[in-house]
Amino acid sequence: LKPNPTYNLMIEPIQPLRDNLDSIVYSQFHKDFVKYEQYKRAIELALTDLDGTADILNILIVGPGEGGIVDKLIDILKIMSLKVKITAYEKNPKCTQILKDKNRSLWDNLVDIKIEDIRTSNLERQDLVISELLGSFGDNEACPEILSFFNIPENRPKIMIPESYTSYLQPVFTSLDPPSLQRPYLVHLTKFYPIDEPQEVWTFEHPSDSSSAQRSTNLKFRNTNIAKCISGFYGHFSATLYGHIQIQIESKSRYNFCNSWYPIFFPVSKTDLARDEVFNFEIARYSNSDQLWYEWNFKDKTYNKNGNTYVIDL
Ligand SMILES: C[S@@+](CC[C@H](N)C(=O)[O-])C[C@H]1O[C@@H](n2cnc3c(N)ncnc32)[C@H](O)[C@@H]1O
């Protein structure tokens, strides 16, 4: 078996809000069979629950990309007889042609396609809002900020998919040296030493009662003595799409594993740990109107203070 050449490389996380993704990236997403099947199940369940709640159901897709999730929505609507009005907002003009072609040839022109940023658009009240704006750490592609409009009581949709997502971190040792200790990377490590089990970091819900997308948490871990040294914190997310339908990127051996995300890695200076040592890790998520960033603190050293090295542009 050939080793995957992208494993064990510290990769720059994509920023789909700032950058316009190329078709080749969407093709990679579309290989994630589990993700689209789980979205299909979640949408089917949501539409079953919404059936009969309005004469016409308003359905909004935020960021359809090249339409993988819309394909699933249309498949379901071919079976369920529902009156719907579907609008899709995609800010990437590189997707215009394929979305229009699919609308004509596969979707019976059912979708009103807008090539616009959802944050600057005029929206009607929605029954169902479907998005996939998740990064490897859940909220690191600015999903909470992009969807914040729907937290305002008069804009609240009846159902949002995903309805929540949770980030996790695990202390690890890897011999790989990241180019900078002051910023996160995406990396699929084939060899690493777990120091302790992963722990939940924080959760975001949609819609949310809180308008704040700032978070901070202090995690306490214990050295389980598999390694003597720590070099960083390995992160992933799980999401509840709707009801009991979930996706996760942590473990191939568990249900609902999606293979289109690599884990995230927050480096720290390599530090020896004593046997059974208990240690803390603090991490915070900050945002202002232009940017969001993470700051983390381990053994009295703060990394990426004030987003000095790494930010996600809004
Ligand atoms: C991770 S991709 C997912 C694409 C598609 N939903 C899928 O699962 O195949 C996120 C998409 O959301 C779009 N996007 C991000 N922020 C947006 C915004 N504020 N308004 C509209 N589209 C946005 C990006 O251009 C990108 O196409």
Side-chain angles (χ1 to χ4, degrees):
L1 207 63
K2 264 203 203 153
N4 185 322
T6 64
Y7 286 175
N8 301 311
L9 286 180
M10 297 277 172
I11 303 169
E12 174 77 29
I14 56 168
Q15 291 202 34
L17 181 57
R18 181 192 65 189
D19 305 324
N20 286 324
L21 303 181
D22 288 316
S23 193
I24 189 154
V25 181
Y26 293 108
S27 313
Q28 285 302 321
F29 296 157
H30 287 183
K31 290 182 189 159
D32 190 338
F33 176 81
V34 174
K35 168 180 138 177
Y36 294 97
E37 277 310 297
Q38 291 300 85
Y39 264 84
K40 184 176 179 183
R41 288 183 185 148
I43 295 167
E44 196 169 11
L45 195 60
L47 288 175
T48 306
D49 288 351
L50 288 171
D51 192 1
T53 62
D55 291 341
I56 297 179
L57 291 174
N58 275 338
I59 303 176
L60 178 72
I61 322 284
V62 183
E66 292 198 345
I69 292 175
V70 185
D71 289 335
K72 298 297 179 192
L73 169 65
I74 301 293
D75 285 351
I76 295 162
L77 290 171
K78 282 181 185 155
I79 297 165
M80 294 178 85
S81 60
L82 292 173
K83 279 197 184 146
V84 292
K85 180 173 174 216
I86 309 173
T87 315
Y89 278 85
E90 172 53 66
K91 59 118 227 170
N92 181 358
K94 293 179 191 169
C95 299
T96 312
Q97 199 53 49
I98 188 158
L99 288 174
K100 288 195 167 158
D101 288 349
K102 277 190 162 183
N103 203 20
R104 203 184 45 247
S105 58
L106 298 172
W107 304 337
D108 282 340
N109 285 313
L110 265 176
V111 185
D112 184 8
I113 297 163
K114 314 263 193 202
I115 302 299
E116 278 176 51
D117 190 316
I118 191 89
R119 295 170 302 168
T120 50
S121 45
N122 248 331
L123 295 171
E124 272 182 74
R125 186 115 187 215
Q126 300 297 321
D127 295 291
L128 174 61
V129 173
I130 306 165
S131 70
E132 192 285 271
L133 305 163
L134 299 168
S136 300
F137 200 45
D139 55 84
N140 64 300
E141 289 180 12
C143 191
E145 285 78 9
I146 297 169
L147 299 179
S148 62
F149 167 88
F150 301 105
N151 295 339
I152 299 164
E154 54 273 26
N155 303 335
R156 276 187 168 228
K158 291 186 184 125
I159 295 177
M160 291 181 77
I161 295 176
E163 52 180 40
S164 69
Y165 35 91
T166 299
S167 320
Y168 300 82
L169 282 173
Q170 176 177 34
V172 296
F173 174 77
T174 165
S175 55
L176 277 190
D177 286 319
S180 163
L181 293 177
Q182 299 294 329
R183 45 155 303 160
Y185 294 93
L186 302 190
V187 61
H188 177 110
L189 296 170
T190 51
K191 261 192 253 158
F192 67 91
Y193 296 91
I195 308 277
D196 198 355
E197 291 295 312
Q199 284 186 28
E200 275 187 35
V201 180
W202 49 58
T203 295
F204 282 91
E205 290 179 347
H206 294 289
S208 166
D209 292 332
S210 156
S211 60
S212 171
Q214 317 251 358
R215 293 283 188 278
S216 69
T217 191
N218 191 346
L219 304 172
K220 186 179 273 189
F221 294 100
R222 190 177 68 83
N223 183 13
T224 52
N225 308 321
I226 292 168
K228 287 190 177 137
C229 182
I230 180 169
S231 66
F233 290 77
Y234 207 27
H236 63 273
F237 78 88
S238 69
T240 296
L241 298 182
Y242 182 59
H244 64 287
I245 312 292
Q246 303 201 320
I247 56 173
Q248 57 92 11
I249 67 157
E250 191 215 350
S251 169
K252 279 186 186 158
S253 63
R254 298 206 188 122
Y255 289 119
N256 315 322
F257 173 76
C258 294
N259 62 13
S260 55
W261 285 270
Y262 277 2
I264 198 163
F265 183 72
F266 291 90
V268 295
S269 299
K270 283 186 182 150
T271 308
D272 285 338
L273 294 171
R275 273 190 77 76
D276 301 320
E277 181 175 337
V278 172
F279 57 91
N280 290 314
F281 181 70
E282 280 179 77
I283 182 162
R285 181 190 199 271
Y286 295 108
S287 60
N288 58 32
S289 54
D290 299 325
Q291 297 170 325
L292 77 94
W293 67 95
Y294 302 97
E295 272 180 38
W296 56 104
N297 187 292
F298 175 66
K299 301 251 179 193
D300 297 327
K301 192 168 167 191
T302 301
Y303 297 81
N304 197 36
K305 181 93 189 133
N306 299 322
N308 276 343
T309 305
Y310 181 77
V311 294
I312 294 141
D313 292 309
L314 294 175

